[in-house]
Amino acid sequence: MKAMILAAGLGKRMRPLTDRCPKPLLPVAGKPLIVHHLERLAAAGIRDVVINVSYRADQIVAALGDGSHYGTQIAWSRETHPLETGGGIRQALPLLGHAPFLLVNGDIWCEFDPLTLTDLERDLAHLVLVDNPTHHPGGDFHLDTAGRVHEEGEPRLTFAGLSLLDPALVAAHPPGAFPLAPLLREAMRTGRVGGTHHRGRWVDVGTPERLTELDRELGTRQG
């Protein structure tokens, strides 16, 4: 199985930290945030990783190289301008192939075993969901007792930024910038999205404050 890490965003919420450093390279516990992803993927046996880049792309490519230092093999998908999540995946399809792949938001940190997501059967996506954090109390989707994800319903959970996707979810969409969420919602309406409720540690590293908190937490663990 291949994985794709989304790393093309502008990091606006992380300013001023991202004025000169792209968000994936911001340090957490002594290493860039994106390196935590690469090491977790490699530990799970996932070696082939596609990373899309746009903002300060050369910095990210120079820092990570071909990925061999982290036990991975990186293929780079460069975007001349940000293509949003859906468009970024659509452009990277030649690198990802035809089999389902693991999609990882570059600005999260999560204690989740990616090997638990191995089979889509007839689904187009399988989402990892978490309890709603304080900064997103309303959640995103409902996970029913049969493991199906719906737009509506209670209780609601938050999308963790981790998923297993079938390339067919975006393959028919014309190239260019477009969001992924509408395609996921359409697949939900046809009953083709499953989900898993992850109850372990998860952090949306979306603000300098949450970055500092995670850095402190992981530093304490290492100490």
Side-chain angles (χ1 to χ4, degrees), residues 100-133:
F101 63 93
L102 182 71
L103 183 68
V104 182
N105 285 11
D107 56 358
I108 64 162
W109 187 90
C110 187
E111 292 180 333
F112 182 81
D113 181 1
L115 291 185
T116 62
L117 303 178
T118 58
D119 189 7
L120 284 175
E121 296 183 351
R122 291 183 296 175
D123 286 342
L124 288 172
H126 190 100
L127 310 184
V128 178
L129 305 169
V130 296
D131 293 332
N132 301 327

Side-chain angles (χ1 to χ4, degrees), residues 159-170:
F159 176 45
L162 287 165
S163 56
L164 186 66
L165 297 185
D166 188 320
L169 182 66
V170 302

Side-chain angles (χ1 to χ4, degrees), residues 6 8 20 29 39 45 60 94 117 163 201:
L6 299 172
R20 296 185 178 180
E39 291 178 344
I60 303 174
L117 303 178
S163 56
R201 190 74 173 102

Side-chain angles (χ1 to χ4, degrees), residues 4-209:
M4 180 175 182
I5 302 176
L6 299 172
L10 297 174
K12 293 180 178 179
R13 293 186 300 163
M14 296 295 288
R15 289 177 175 169
L17 299 180
T18 51
D19 285 342
R20 296 185 178 180
C21 178
K23 183 162 55 175
L25 297 185
L26 291 175
V28 177
K31 66 185 73 171
L33 178 60
I34 198 170
V35 169
H36 289 271
H37 291 307
L38 293 173
E39 291 178 344
R40 187 172 294 276
L41 291 171
I46 300 174
R47 311 293 183 185
D48 293 322
V49 182
V50 176
I51 302 178
N52 69 330
V53 288
S54 181
Y55 176 66
R56 294 191 174 272
D58 290 341
Q59 279 184 255
I60 303 174
V61 174
L64 303 180
D66 63 2
S68 57
H69 182 72
Y70 311 104
T72 61
Q73 180 176 332
I74 297 175
W76 296 99
S77 179
R78 289 177 175 265
E79 301 175 8
T80 55
H81 59 278
L83 295 174
E84 301 188 63
T85 303
I89 297 170
R90 175 68 175 77
Q91 176 175 284
L93 287 184
L95 301 173
L96 291 165
H98 300 289
F101 63 93
L102 182 71
L103 183 68
V104 182
N105 285 11
D107 56 358
I108 64 162
W109 187 90
C110 187
E111 292 180 333
F112 182 81
D113 181 1
L115 291 185
T116 62
L117 303 178
T118 58
D119 189 7
L120 284 175
E121 296 183 351
R122 291 183 296 175
D123 286 342
L124 288 172
H126 190 100
L127 310 184
V128 178
L129 305 169
V130 296
D131 293 332
N132 301 327
T134 56
H135 60 271
H136 190 58
D140 297 307
F141 306 116
H142 170 61
L143 179 66
D144 68 24
T145 55
R148 313 310 298 167
V149 180
H150 307 274
E151 291 183 86
E152 306 296 336
E154 296 291 339
R156 299 182 68 75
L157 297 170
T158 292
F159 176 45
L162 287 165
S163 56
L164 186 66
L165 297 185
D166 188 320
L169 182 66
V170 302
H173 197 287
F178 62 92
L180 182 64
L183 300 183
L184 285 173
R185 292 190 174 95
E186 181 180 350
M188 289 175 197
R189 288 191 287 270
T190 59
R192 299 189 69 186
V193 179
T196 296
H197 185 183
H198 172 65
R199 292 175 169 82
R201 190 74 173 102
W202 172 85
V203 179
D204 170 12
V205 193
T207 65
E209 293 76 19

